Amino acid sequence: MATGTLTIDLDALVQNWRSLAALSESETGAVVKADGYGLGAAKVARALARAGARRFFVAVAEEGAGLREALGPGPEINVMSGHMAGDTDMIGDLALTPMINNVDQLLRHVEALPGHAFGIQLDTGMNRLGMEPAEWAAIRDIALAQAPTLVMSHLACADEPSHEMNRAQLAQFAEITGDIDAPRSLAATGGILLGPDYHFDVTRPGIGLYGGLPFDLATPVVRLELPVIQVRDLEPGETVGYGNSWEAADPTRVATVSGGYADGLLRALSHTGSLWHGDTPCPILGRVSMDLIGVDVTHLSETPVALDILGPNQKVDALATDAGTIGYEILTSLGARYTRRYTGG
Ligand SMILES: *Cc1c(COP(=O)(O)O)cnc(C)c1O
């Protein structure tokens, strides 16, 4: 085993979906963009479909095409970038549902694929995707006459429950969609946790399914074990890694593990992060290299065969904090070199 082993617990994923579903009375969808937050969209979506998920969300049409192949006909696959130029064949042939973001996309859609399902994405202040309120006011009667499958917007600050932006976006969304029949959706993981006012008809959790904050009751889904390639003993004054940036003050036992920034183990973990041997943390020594990390194992009573960088003792957000980032980035950066094992599902 020369590469790390990434174990993805599909039972934990399904349990997280069920837990998030139990927090609202709404239909609970699943966001599987970016290859299911790096964990494999096909496997993730099939497990969730078996558990009862019927609406999936991806970022772009190409992801939707792969997902349709994995899921077969039936489940709704919503494309959040909408109907972009060049996507018509994919949207039409594979029964994808674009979330229309502006008038140009609406015209493209109804002209190229008349009668084909679509949803509407509204901007309520994040200024990222979706129609502006004035644009929506101008075309809403035309759009609503075609029975959109969903009318959605996205919260910018849902991971900060007390942020005033949440109530402002909720008020805006309620105002501009108050009198429509189409199903409405505002909440991703953070929005679900903000409570029933935010739930509307459909929720769209992503990160919480995969074990990340802000869903602090999530069950961890990933374990990442890195094999130890070599162990050596250093004298005081010897150094580890590029730039001699760590120097031993005392006799030190260093394990070199297989895995580095090319595998998504961010270089920002240099000097700060830890790997784990069972319940014992083992600090990273020196700089993270492209394919290798030096780890202090002086305090272990045995020579480890492998060390965990993600697992029950170090969840994605703990590693993210050490790297100065968020769990989303840790997951979606996980590299292609790992041996991937799926359990449960
Ligand atoms: C990514 C995304 C989601 C899922 O968000 P999480 O915070 O991962 O739950 C939902 N809706 C939209 C529009 C998104 O871009």
Side-chain angles (χ1 to χ4, degrees), residues 20 30-33 37 57-59 80 121 126 128-129 152-155 158-159 185-192 203-210 213-214 328:
L20 288 163
V31 179
V32 297
K33 62 192 180 190
Y37 288 46
F57 294 84
V58 293
M80 294 190 288
Q121 187 157 199
M126 189 174 184
R128 192 178 69 164
L129 276 184
M152 62 174 276
S153 188
H154 193 51
L155 297 167
D159 57 343
S185 176
L186 181 61
T189 303
I192 294 172
T203 64
R204 313 184 305 269
I207 192 71
L209 305 174
Y210 307 103
L213 289 175
Y328 299 74

